[in-house]
Amino acid sequence: DPKKVKWAVELNKKNPPDINAPTGVPKVLRTGKMEYYPYISDELIVKSSKNPEQLRLLRKLKLTSLMILPIIINKEVVGTISFISSESGRQYTKADVVVAEEVADRAAVAIQNATLYQSAQENEAKFKAFVDSNIVGVFTADAEGNILDANDGFLKIIGYTRDELTQKKINRWRLTPTEYHEVDAAAMKELFTRSSTTPWEKEYIKKVSSAIEDETDLDILDSLQAHLK
């Protein structure tokens, strides 16, 4: 009923909730415990009214039954959800409470998922800004050492172009000097074992000609494979 919606809005504007109220939404927010009123009598409405104007508006709404449930995420109350029966005259039963609890649980999951998604989006934006800043060189590679993506900072360090990256012509093992093979191999073993590695320092061979000699490439790859085995 549009009129009742208008009255409810008016009621909230003129009588904003008191967080210290002994009943209703404020209490559910404080305690995390549901409030269930299967039958709302006129006596209850009179008792909960702060002033004649609020009583008048509450009576206009003709409330008959009410359930207020907490929305809980990680044991913290983040909000409430209210179910109110009015013009139908219906009175909520224990079976309705069970359904309402399920809805409140699903609302909590939806809010948590939305929060996690927003956080992931923000983190992705921050990481992208870091990668694009060119303050340091950043790249991703597969287990065979093929560099799949890199920022301009890294390409500048190693002397390769983005076209060469796109054509998959860059391999991290081919860019690794012989003296770093052992530490690189140890880091890879740690990565495969623990899914993370202790930070380590190394150097890369910068491209000084159109291509690294194929024989040199094969020697480097053979040496690294021997260390990894």
Side-chain angles (χ1 to χ4, degrees), residues 94 109 118 153:
K94 292 292 184 181
V109 172
Q118 181 180 5

Side-chain angles (χ1 to χ4, degrees), residues 5-23:
V5 173
K6 183 179 178 180
W7 293 335
V9 172
E10 186 180 348
L11 181 65
N12 279 333
K13 283 184 178 179
K14 292 185 176 180
N15 300 277
D18 176 9
I19 192 62
N20 297 311
T23 60

Side-chain angles (χ1 to χ4, degrees), residues 10-225:
E10 186 180 348
L11 181 65
N12 279 333
K13 283 184 178 179
K14 292 185 176 180
N15 300 277
D18 176 9
I19 192 62
N20 297 311
T23 60
V25 170
K27 184 180 179 182
V28 176
L29 284 171
R30 291 196 312 270
T31 65
K33 300 291 180 64
M34 176 191 72
E35 286 207 354
Y36 170 46
Y37 302 94
Y39 173 65
I40 299 178
S41 64
D42 189 69
E43 181 183 353
L44 181 61
I45 292 176
V46 171
K47 186 177 179 181
S48 61
S49 299
K50 298 177 183 177
N51 51 62
E53 177 65 10
Q54 186 179 25
L55 176 60
R56 181 183 69 82
L57 290 171
L58 282 172
R59 279 176 169 164
K60 274 189 173 183
L61 291 173
K62 295 182 180 179
L63 308 179
T64 57
S65 194
L66 171 67
M67 298 182 290
I68 307 173
L69 295 93
I71 297 175
I72 301 174
I73 299 176
N74 296 327
K75 299 182 179 180
E76 179 183 355
V77 180
V78 299
T80 66
I81 182 167
S82 300
F83 298 83
I84 304 169
S85 178
S86 180
E87 58 270 328
S88 69
R90 181 185 173 193
Q91 294 177 10
Y92 293 126
T93 65
K94 292 292 184 181
D96 294 316
V97 171
V98 173
V99 174
E101 288 174 335
E102 176 66 21
V103 173
D105 288 343
R106 293 191 182 192
V109 172
I111 292 170
Q112 188 174 32
N113 287 343
T115 303
L116 291 172
Y117 177 76
Q118 181 180 5
S119 177
Q121 292 290 94
E122 290 173 353
N123 289 337
E124 183 178 353
K126 289 178 182 177
F127 180 72
K128 188 176 185 303
F130 167 72
V131 171
D132 293 343
S133 68
N134 290 333
I135 296 175
V136 294
V138 180
F139 72 90
T140 59
D142 59 23
E144 286 70 43
N146 300 308
I147 295 181
L148 308 175
D149 196 10
N151 67 350
D152 291 339
F154 184 72
L155 293 176
K156 184 177 180 181
I157 290 171
I158 61 175
Y160 282 77
T161 66
R162 188 155 296 280
D163 285 341
E164 289 172 308
L165 173 66
T166 304
Q167 295 167 20
K168 303 187 183 304
K169 292 184 176 181
I170 313 175
N171 185 289
R172 65 179 298 182
W173 306 137
R174 296 175 184 173
L175 303 175
T176 301
T178 305
E179 59 266 32
Y180 291 98
H181 288 185
E182 189 172 341
V183 67
D184 241 13
M188 290 302 99
K189 283 184 178 179
E190 186 180 7
L191 177 64
F192 296 143
T193 303
R194 299 173 45 199
S195 298
S196 63
T197 61
T198 305
W200 81 99
E201 289 188 19
K202 63 172 287 186
E203 294 179 0
Y204 285 103
I205 300 170
K206 185 171 183 177
K207 180 182 177 183
V208 292
S209 61
S210 59
I212 299 176
E213 294 297 329
D214 290 341
E215 289 185 5
T216 304
D217 291 351
L218 292 173
D219 288 343
I220 291 173
L221 289 172
D222 288 343
S223 176
L224 276 165
Q225 287 172 355

